[in-house]
Amino acid sequence: MKKIIIITLLFLIPQLSMAALINEMQTCQGLIEHIDKKLDETGSKYDKNAVKKVRNGLEGYNQYIQREIVTPGLLQFNGGDQSKTKKMQEQVDAYKKTIAKRYDLTYPQNEIFMNHAMAVNECAKQAVPSGQELEDLKEALNLMVEFAQ
């Protein structure tokens, strides 16, 4: 009996870990959505070229999260069932919007704060892109820190 429970747990732990990571990454995607909105609202407060670089870095990171973590994780969680995965993705998208709205309420000002950069950095610690996506994300973070000062 103990063996069956241990074997079952060994199969469940990776799924639970993947589910936790997907949940964290949904939060990160909601944060990115919030920051993108803040960049729209700041008008001419920040240099347009710098804003474009921040957007580029964050969008690349958002795509990385979706492509490398969320989509394959949901597919794996649903045993490869595309229909179930699509429905679950809709739930993920709704949750991301809820997260973005929470950030909007917490940060109603039309500016980027150090907390934004720190939160994106925390996301990047959990899911690190590579190559150009990483370089673009680093540049975005550095610019966000400048915006916050």
Side-chain angles (χ1 to χ4, degrees):
M1 185 66 170
K2 267 187 173 178
K3 271 187 172 180
I4 294 171
I5 292 172
I6 291 172
I7 290 171
T8 303
L9 286 175
L10 288 175
F11 286 109
L12 285 178
I13 289 172
Q15 284 189 338
L16 293 175
S17 297
M18 179 56 81
L21 181 59
I22 290 170
N23 191 41
E24 286 296 319
M25 292 300 104
Q26 291 175 78
T27 302
C28 294
Q29 287 181 309
L31 170 65
I32 291 169
E33 188 175 310
H34 162 75
I35 293 170
D36 190 57
K37 181 180 176 186
K38 287 293 145 197
L39 291 171
D40 280 341
E41 294 172 350
T42 59
S44 61
K45 183 172 185 158
Y46 307 122
D47 176 73
K48 287 183 183 188
N49 191 38
V51 167
K52 189 175 182 178
K53 288 178 182 181
V54 170
R55 277 201 162 108
N56 182 55
L58 293 179
E59 179 56 29
Y61 187 51
N62 192 29
Q63 289 174 9
Y64 165 80
I65 291 170
Q66 188 65 43
R67 180 184 69 243
E68 299 296 328
I69 298 166
V70 176
T71 299
L74 293 177
L75 199 56
Q76 177 187 357
F77 186 78
N78 288 298
D81 186 319
Q82 295 283 346
S83 178
K84 286 182 183 177
T85 299
K86 183 179 178 185
K87 288 182 194 275
M88 201 171 232
Q89 180 65 55
E90 290 169 2
Q91 293 173 349
V92 166
D93 293 341
Y95 180 70
K96 286 189 291 192
K97 289 197 181 309
T98 300
I99 294 297
K101 285 179 184 176
R102 276 195 219 149
Y103 275 111
D104 292 346
L105 292 172
T106 304
Y107 299 98
Q109 306 87 343
N110 293 335
E111 59 186 292
I112 300 297
F113 290 96
M114 188 63 75
N115 286 354
H116 290 119
M118 290 170 41
V120 172
N121 190 55
E122 287 302 312
C123 291
K125 287 179 183 179
Q126 295 178 47
V128 184
S130 60
Q132 192 59 49
E133 286 176 331
L134 177 58
E135 294 308 312
D136 291 345
L137 180 59
K138 286 180 186 178
E139 183 176 32
L141 283 169
N142 287 330
L143 289 168
M144 288 172 63
V145 168
E146 287 180 26
F147 292 171
Q149 295 175 343

